[in-house]
Amino acid sequence: MVNYSIVAPFIVYLLILLAIGIIANRYLVDLEGYLLGGRGLGAGVTALTLQSTSMSGFMFLGAPSMAFRQGVWALWYAIGDFGGGLVNLAVLGRGLRQLSETFGSLTPIEYLEDRYPHPSIRAVGSLISIVFLSAYVFAQFIAAGKALESVTGLPYIYGLLLGTSIIVLYTFFGGYLAVAWTDTLQAIVMALGINILLAAVLMEVGGFTGLFSSIASQDPTYLSVWGQGFQHAGAFGVVIGAVLLYSIGYMGIPHAVVRHLSMEESDTAKSAIGINVFFNTFFVYQPYILGLAAIVLLPSLNDPEMAIPQLALTLLPTAVAGILLAALMAAVMSTADSILIMAGSILSRDIVQRFSSREISDERAFLYSRALVVGIGVLGIVVAAYQPPSVSDLVIFAFGALACAFLVPNVAGVYWTRANWQGALAAMIGGSGTNIIWTAAGLQSMTAVHPFLAGIVISTVGMVVFSLITEPPDTDVINAVQTARKSVDAPTGTVKQSTDSLAPEATAIATHLSEKSLADN
Amino acid sequence: MEKQSALTTIDAFPEEVSECKAEKILERTDSEIKNGQINEKIYYPYLVATFQVESSMMGQKDDGIIHCGVDLVNEKELLIDEQPRFERRSVISDQVLPRECNRETALQIARTYIREIVNRQLKPLRTPTIQCVENGLLYRLFYSIEVETTDGNILQYAVDSILGDYHRLYVGVDNSS
């Protein structure tokens, strides 16, 4: 039965977002300003917009469900996540920046294509990106369905159909609605909501001490590092894979790598990174703690992914719970929308236009991107309705497969001069393929090896073997890698203020000056 | 005998940053940087196109003007905030970077880029109308500046004469692939 005291604030909140979107666009941004990407926005708005877009159903549904099912074992993933950014920066930061500067690459896929010059690199890289970004979107569909199920009391399948339809329509016709100002409000509401819920939960269970002693009295194995019921006892391959997934996996994720190419060079974006770090401190770990609390407070919970919605409905005033769930829905829409548009862009720019011999008309390009959104929507409904995987499983699978595809080519590109396009292709296909097969065939339970670990091993083997049995890279590539490696570091202040979007111009000017110097001599 | 330098006439963006100011820009970035010195001037080619965009969203029609530049060496696009101004001048031919992309290809690249941005940012209800109303070849002046660090290393940078932005130059690397 529909609980209107929750549905009403849920709808009111979404209507407020709609109103802010319309007002902001009518009075704050004109068409040119919108197309220029809202350059006048400050660091705070930019940071929170990014935050809202990157937050997905995983944080609200996936992370707490892992903690609910596995206990503190789930924190292996969180530990990796905590250090992932630093590892990424330490291993790839300087090398990748200097190499992309010498090549003049602006995006991760451009870097791969410049480092491993062959058309198959872009084609395969783009296809892998589209497939696994789609899997990420499927997770958002499931999350939307569950959010609507918890709010309206409708069966999951209706929630799924309604949620997916809303997301697809929002992606099609959202237009001015998806503005930075609404994303900013969402990020604030989500962070506040999750922390209010955490405070309520901790008061209910008697703080952290009360929480852990209650969990221990129910089943002490929830507090084991090997998982509830010692499920992963001695399975070092699984634990290592779980920690590595988020600690090194970011080196293969296009979004994370972009940061190290330092694409967003403005002072605003640099300040925004600081704000993101501050925001993460107040958001990233809370869902895991809430999942642990659900073991105590909701012991008979049927669907672990409903831990946060159910805790909110149980412990918070209904209006606050309604707003929190609306924020969840909005976050899911924002994430799914941006990934769908990104997938459409990859399809039209990196595949259709790149490999088409004819010029693509505006109408056709428009049609392709819309068709892709509908295609992913329909496929997503089929997957989510037929045999819905859990949000956490789906997100970990998609993240792992993307990381397995690109991590080794990215790292080898910087550190191993001999790495060539044949090796990179084998690493991409072998890494992501192994992750898929390992997950689909349930090989983790048979081998005690995490799919991510298996994927990375095969990807590395593929890179080494195929690079060594084929011709070395072109002299130009070897020269660029060696120059980047030998180059002395510029002073920190100079590096920080450098404008990275000038990389292509700088590369062309450097080549021109080198040729001129040779001719003069 | 000194070699005679040929001159060529180009349309260039007006400079906002003088040679003297450009040298100081790098010195101000870090206390370890000193002795900025210009050793070359390079005119970099762009196609600059102005597009009229008409789009409909939620039953509301909207239109606007947007300017796009295409780097004629690397075929990379960029959005330009304001209507570009230019001035005609004669410069030494050696200082002009040769174009590697023709005007028609560059115009198509610009159009595709605008189309992609319109679709991504506006998510219009119907196919937007994108019309190129003006286009021209313009050159942007970059200063190639050498600086010395306090520990004796020599680094080379390209400094943009419009905004004063800069980027390191890795001279000696052949990136012509």
Side-chain angles (χ1 to χ4, degrees), chain A residues 9 74 76 89 113 121 209 211 253 279 335 380 406 483:
Chain A
W76 284 123
L89 194 65
E113 203 183 20
I121 295 295
T209 314
L211 173 64
I253 301 298
F279 189 87
T335 305
F406 298 116
T483 303

mmCIF file of all heavy atoms in Angstrom, chain A residues 9 74 76 89 113 121 209 211 253 279 335 380 406 483:
data_model
loop_
_atom_site.group_PDB
_atom_site.id
_atom_site.type_symbol
_atom_site.label_atom_id
_atom_site.label_comp_id
_atom_site.label_asym_id
_atom_site.label_seq_id
_atom_site.Cartn_x
_atom_site.Cartn_y
_atom_site.Cartn_z
ATOM 1 N N PRO A 9 6.719 13.991 0.300
ATOM 2 C CA PRO A 9 7.998 14.713 0.286
ATOM 3 C C PRO A 9 8.917 14.274 -0.852
ATOM 4 O O PRO A 9 9.678 15.074 -1.386
ATOM 5 C CB PRO A 9 8.635 14.377 1.642
ATOM 6 C CG PRO A 9 7.854 13.273 2.221
ATOM 7 C CD PRO A 9 6.507 13.285 1.577
ATOM 8 N N ALA A 74 33.712 -6.538 3.967
ATOM 9 C CA ALA A 74 33.425 -5.576 2.892
ATOM 10 C C ALA A 74 34.398 -4.409 2.920
ATOM 11 O O ALA A 74 34.621 -3.747 1.904
ATOM 12 C CB ALA A 74 31.994 -5.065 3.017
ATOM 13 N N TRP A 76 37.472 -4.486 3.002
ATOM 14 C CA TRP A 76 38.641 -4.681 2.125
ATOM 15 C C TRP A 76 38.503 -3.792 0.892
ATOM 16 O O TRP A 76 39.474 -3.224 0.407
ATOM 17 C CB TRP A 76 38.759 -6.150 1.684
ATOM 18 C CG TRP A 76 39.293 -7.090 2.728
ATOM 19 C CD1 TRP A 76 38.668 -8.211 3.204
ATOM 20 C CD2 TRP A 76 40.548 -7.031 3.421
ATOM 21 N NE1 TRP A 76 39.448 -8.847 4.134
ATOM 22 C CE2 TRP A 76 40.612 -8.143 4.290
ATOM 23 C CE3 TRP A 76 41.621 -6.151 3.386
ATOM 24 C CZ2 TRP A 76 41.693 -8.390 5.116
ATOM 25 C CZ3 TRP A 76 42.711 -6.392 4.216
ATOM 26 C CH2 TRP A 76 42.729 -7.504 5.064
ATOM 27 N N LEU A 89 48.209 8.157 -8.273
ATOM 28 C CA LEU A 89 49.049 9.340 -8.444
ATOM 29 C C LEU A 89 50.531 8.955 -8.421
ATOM 30 O O LEU A 89 51.323 9.413 -9.237
ATOM 31 C CB LEU A 89 48.750 10.334 -7.313
ATOM 32 C CG LEU A 89 49.261 11.744 -7.485
ATOM 33 C CD1 LEU A 89 48.580 12.415 -8.664
ATOM 34 C CD2 LEU A 89 48.996 12.553 -6.224
ATOM 35 N N GLU A 113 45.936 5.679 -27.989
ATOM 36 C CA GLU A 113 46.114 5.626 -29.439
ATOM 37 C C GLU A 113 47.458 6.236 -29.860
ATOM 38 O O GLU A 113 48.084 5.776 -30.808
ATOM 39 C CB GLU A 113 44.964 6.365 -30.122
ATOM 40 C CG GLU A 113 44.759 5.897 -31.543
ATOM 41 C CD GLU A 113 43.675 6.668 -32.258
ATOM 42 O OE1 GLU A 113 43.341 7.780 -31.830
ATOM 43 O OE2 GLU A 113 43.164 6.137 -33.261
ATOM 44 N N ILE A 121 43.228 -0.092 -31.567
ATOM 45 C CA ILE A 121 43.286 0.300 -30.155
ATOM 46 C C ILE A 121 42.075 1.160 -29.798
ATOM 47 O O ILE A 121 41.392 0.937 -28.800
ATOM 48 C CB ILE A 121 44.608 1.057 -29.856
ATOM 49 C CG1 ILE A 121 45.804 0.133 -30.056
ATOM 50 C CG2 ILE A 121 44.610 1.657 -28.453
ATOM 51 C CD1 ILE A 121 45.894 -1.035 -29.093
ATOM 52 N N THR A 209 30.835 1.241 19.842
ATOM 53 C CA THR A 209 31.069 0.118 20.759
ATOM 54 C C THR A 209 29.833 -0.769 20.814
ATOM 55 O O THR A 209 29.915 -2.002 20.694
ATOM 56 C CB THR A 209 31.393 0.661 22.173
ATOM 57 O OG1 THR A 209 32.330 1.713 22.039
ATOM 58 C CG2 THR A 209 31.938 -0.420 23.072
ATOM 59 N N LEU A 211 27.521 -0.975 18.597
ATOM 60 C CA LEU A 211 27.307 -1.603 17.285
ATOM 61 C C LEU A 211 28.116 -2.895 17.165
ATOM 62 O O LEU A 211 27.575 -3.962 16.844
ATOM 63 C CB LEU A 211 27.712 -0.619 16.177
ATOM 64 C CG LEU A 211 27.722 -1.172 14.747
ATOM 65 C CD1 LEU A 211 26.333 -1.592 14.308
ATOM 66 C CD2 LEU A 211 28.271 -0.127 13.758
ATOM 67 N N ILE A 253 40.704 3.136 -15.095
ATOM 68 C CA ILE A 253 39.393 3.744 -15.306
ATOM 69 C C ILE A 253 39.559 5.107 -15.979
ATOM 70 O O ILE A 253 40.233 5.985 -15.442
ATOM 71 C CB ILE A 253 38.645 3.902 -13.952
ATOM 72 C CG1 ILE A 253 38.487 2.533 -13.289
ATOM 73 C CG2 ILE A 253 37.300 4.578 -14.139
ATOM 74 C CD1 ILE A 253 37.679 1.512 -14.052
ATOM 75 N N PHE A 279 34.534 16.378 0.861
ATOM 76 C CA PHE A 279 33.201 15.803 0.749
ATOM 77 C C PHE A 279 33.246 14.283 0.924
ATOM 78 O O PHE A 279 32.425 13.696 1.615
ATOM 79 C CB PHE A 279 32.625 16.153 -0.616
ATOM 80 C CG PHE A 279 31.183 15.791 -0.767
ATOM 81 C CD1 PHE A 279 30.193 16.681 -0.375
ATOM 82 C CD2 PHE A 279 30.808 14.564 -1.272
ATOM 83 C CE1 PHE A 279 28.863 16.343 -0.503
ATOM 84 C CE2 PHE A 279 29.477 14.217 -1.401
ATOM 85 C CZ PHE A 279 28.506 15.121 -1.015
ATOM 86 N N THR A 335 23.678 10.099 -12.464
ATOM 87 C CA THR A 335 24.774 9.210 -12.865
ATOM 88 C C THR A 335 24.444 8.501 -14.179
ATOM 89 O O THR A 335 25.254 8.495 -15.109
ATOM 90 C CB THR A 335 25.029 8.154 -11.771
ATOM 91 O OG1 THR A 335 25.254 8.835 -10.550
ATOM 92 C CG2 THR A 335 26.225 7.280 -12.095
ATOM 93 N N GLY A 380 18.755 -3.097 -20.540
ATOM 94 C CA GLY A 380 18.846 -2.966 -19.080
ATOM 95 C C GLY A 380 17.613 -3.510 -18.394
ATOM 96 O O GLY A 380 17.699 -4.210 -17.380
ATOM 97 N N PHE A 406 42.232 -1.674 -19.219
ATOM 98 C CA PHE A 406 43.089 -0.510 -19.490
ATOM 99 C C PHE A 406 44.271 -0.315 -18.542
ATOM 100 O O PHE A 406 45.181 0.454 -18.844
ATOM 101 C CB PHE A 406 42.232 0.762 -19.499
ATOM 102 C CG PHE A 406 41.176 0.751 -20.575
ATOM 103 C CD1 PHE A 406 39.827 0.764 -20.263
ATOM 104 C CD2 PHE A 406 41.547 0.691 -21.912
ATOM 105 C CE1 PHE A 406 38.853 0.738 -21.256
ATOM 106 C CE2 PHE A 406 40.590 0.661 -22.906
ATOM 107 C CZ PHE A 406 39.238 0.686 -22.587
ATOM 108 N N THR A 483 62.174 10.323 -23.998
ATOM 109 C CA THR A 483 62.306 11.744 -23.663
ATOM 110 C C THR A 483 61.496 12.066 -22.412
ATOM 111 O O THR A 483 61.966 12.765 -21.507
ATOM 112 C CB THR A 483 61.803 12.619 -24.830
ATOM 113 O OG1 THR A 483 62.536 12.260 -25.975
ATOM 114 C CG2 THR A 483 61.998 14.089 -24.542
#
